[in-house]
PDB file of all heavy atoms in Angstrom:
ATOM      1  N   ASN A 163      15.451  -3.746-136.867  1.00 93.00           N
ATOM      2  CA  ASN A 163      15.000  -3.989-138.231  1.00 93.00           C
ATOM      3  C   ASN A 163      14.478  -2.717-138.905  1.00 93.00           C
ATOM      4  O   ASN A 163      13.981  -2.762-140.031  1.00 93.00           O
ATOM      5  CB  ASN A 163      13.912  -5.064-138.264  1.00 93.00           C
ATOM      6  CG  ASN A 163      12.666  -4.637-137.500  1.00 93.00           C
ATOM      7  OD1 ASN A 163      12.737  -3.789-136.611  1.00 93.00           O
ATOM      8  ND2 ASN A 163      11.516  -5.226-137.843  1.00 93.00           N
ATOM      9  N   LYS A 164      14.601  -1.582-138.195  1.00 94.00           N
ATOM     10  CA  LYS A 164      14.152  -0.311-138.763  1.00 94.00           C
ATOM     11  C   LYS A 164      15.348   0.638-138.918  1.00 94.00           C
ATOM     12  O   LYS A 164      16.351   0.520-138.206  1.00 94.00           O
ATOM     13  CB  LYS A 164      13.104   0.349-137.860  1.00 94.00           C
ATOM     14  CG  LYS A 164      11.824  -0.470-137.740  1.00 94.00           C
ATOM     15  CD  LYS A 164      10.750   0.296-136.995  1.00 94.00           C
ATOM     16  CE  LYS A 164       9.450  -0.514-136.942  1.00 94.00           C
ATOM     17  NZ  LYS A 164       8.324   0.258-136.378  1.00 94.00           N
ATOM     18  N   LYS A 165      15.239   1.547-139.830  1.00 95.00           N
ATOM     19  CA  LYS A 165      16.303   2.534-140.037  1.00 95.00           C
ATOM     20  C   LYS A 165      16.295   3.530-138.872  1.00 95.00           C
ATOM     21  O   LYS A 165      15.279   4.145-138.567  1.00 95.00           O
ATOM     22  CB  LYS A 165      16.099   3.268-141.354  1.00 95.00           C
ATOM     23  CG  LYS A 165      17.211   4.272-141.662  1.00 95.00           C
ATOM     24  CD  LYS A 165      16.974   4.962-142.992  1.00 95.00           C
ATOM     25  CE  LYS A 165      18.088   5.957-143.298  1.00 95.00           C
ATOM     26  NZ  LYS A 165      17.882   6.652-144.585  1.00 95.00           N
ATOM     27  N   LEU A 166      17.449   3.664-138.229  1.00 96.00           N
ATOM     28  CA  LEU A 166      17.562   4.577-137.082  1.00 96.00           C
ATOM     29  C   LEU A 166      17.987   5.956-137.564  1.00 96.00           C
ATOM     30  O   LEU A 166      19.006   6.106-138.237  1.00 96.00           O
ATOM     31  CB  LEU A 166      18.579   4.040-136.071  1.00 96.00           C
ATOM     32  CG  LEU A 166      18.829   4.915-134.836  1.00 96.00           C
ATOM     33  CD1 LEU A 166      17.555   5.086-134.015  1.00 96.00           C
ATOM     34  CD2 LEU A 166      19.954   4.333-133.986  1.00 96.00           C
ATOM     35  N   ILE A 167      17.210   6.953-137.212  1.00 96.00           N
ATOM     36  CA  ILE A 167      17.498   8.327-137.601  1.00 96.00           C
ATOM     37  C   ILE A 167      17.698   9.163-136.334  1.00 96.00           C
ATOM     38  O   ILE A 167      16.860   9.128-135.424  1.00 96.00           O
ATOM     39  CB  ILE A 167      16.369   8.907-138.461  1.00 96.00           C
ATOM     40  CG1 ILE A 167      16.279   8.138-139.786  1.00 96.00           C
ATOM     41  CG2 ILE A 167      16.583  10.398-138.731  1.00 96.00           C
ATOM     42  CD1 ILE A 167      15.112   8.502-140.646  1.00 96.00           C
ATOM     43  N   LEU A 168      18.803   9.903-136.287  1.00 97.00           N
ATOM     44  CA  LEU A 168      19.145  10.705-135.108  1.00 97.00           C
ATOM     45  C   LEU A 168      18.788  12.172-135.326  1.00 97.00           C
ATOM     46  O   LEU A 168      19.108  12.745-136.364  1.00 97.00           O
ATOM     47  CB  LEU A 168      20.637  10.575-134.794  1.00 97.00           C
ATOM     48  CG  LEU A 168      21.182   9.150-134.611  1.00 97.00           C
ATOM     49  CD1 LEU A 168      22.646   9.191-134.208  1.00 97.00           C
ATOM     50  CD2 LEU A 168      20.370   8.382-133.581  1.00 97.00           C
ATOM     51  N   ILE A 169      18.147  12.750-134.331  1.00 96.00           N
ATOM     52  CA  ILE A 169      17.795  14.171-134.367  1.00 96.00           C
ATOM     53  C   ILE A 169      18.222  14.806-133.051  1.00 96.00           C
ATOM     54  O   ILE A 169      17.883  14.304-131.971  1.00 96.00           O
ATOM     55  CB  ILE A 169      16.280  14.378-134.550  1.00 96.00           C
ATOM     56  CG1 ILE A 169      15.797  13.762-135.878  1.00 96.00           C
ATOM     57  CG2 ILE A 169      15.931  15.871-134.502  1.00 96.00           C
ATOM     58  CD1 ILE A 169      14.290  13.851-136.074  1.00 96.00           C
ATOM     59  N   MET A 170      18.972  15.885-133.149  1.00 95.00           N
ATOM     60  CA  MET A 170      19.296  16.660-131.946  1.00 95.00           C
ATOM     61  C   MET A 170      18.464  17.937-131.966  1.00 95.00           C
ATOM     62  O   MET A 170      18.436  18.660-132.963  1.00 95.00           O
ATOM     63  CB  MET A 170      20.789  17.011-131.873  1.00 95.00           C
ATOM     64  CG  MET A 170      21.157  17.748-130.584  1.00 95.00           C
ATOM     65  SD  MET A 170      22.953  18.008-130.368  1.00 95.00           S
ATOM     66  CE  MET A 170      23.503  16.334-130.017  1.00 95.00           C
ATOM     67  N   GLY A 171      17.761  18.177-130.872  1.00 92.00           N
ATOM     68  CA  GLY A 171      16.875  19.330-130.812  1.00 92.00           C
ATOM     69  C   GLY A 171      17.339  20.371-129.808  1.00 92.00           C
ATOM     70  O   GLY A 171      17.896  20.043-128.759  1.00 92.00           O
ATOM     71  N   SER A 172      17.111  21.631-130.126  1.00 89.00           N
ATOM     72  CA  SER A 172      17.401  22.732-129.219  1.00 89.00           C
ATOM     73  C   SER A 172      16.602  23.938-129.697  1.00 89.00           C
ATOM     74  O   SER A 172      15.951  23.899-130.749  1.00 89.00           O
ATOM     75  CB  SER A 172      18.897  23.047-129.203  1.00 89.00           C
ATOM     76  OG  SER A 172      19.197  24.000-128.189  1.00 89.00           O
ATOM     77  N   LEU A 173      16.663  25.005-128.926  1.00 84.00           N
ATOM     78  CA  LEU A 173      15.966  26.216-129.361  1.00 84.00           C
ATOM     79  C   LEU A 173      16.686  26.865-130.538  1.00 84.00           C
ATOM     80  O   LEU A 173      16.050  27.455-131.410  1.00 84.00           O
ATOM     81  CB  LEU A 173      15.869  27.210-128.197  1.00 84.00           C
ATOM     82  CG  LEU A 173      15.022  26.769-127.010  1.00 84.00           C
ATOM     83  CD1 LEU A 173      15.004  27.860-125.941  1.00 84.00           C
ATOM     84  CD2 LEU A 173      13.599  26.445-127.444  1.00 84.00           C
ATOM     85  N   ALA A 174      18.020  26.742-130.549  1.00 87.00           N
ATOM     86  CA  ALA A 174      18.789  27.354-131.634  1.00 87.00           C
ATOM     87  C   ALA A 174      20.149  26.676-131.749  1.00 87.00           C
ATOM     88  O   ALA A 174      20.695  26.181-130.754  1.00 87.00           O
ATOM     89  CB  ALA A 174      18.974  28.847-131.384  1.00 87.00           C
TER      90      ALA A 174
END
Side-chain angles (χ1 to χ4, degrees):
N163 63 336
K164 296 188 177 187
K165 182 179 181 180
L166 178 62
I167 295 173
L168 305 184
I169 299 176
M170 184 173 289
S172 188
L173 295 180

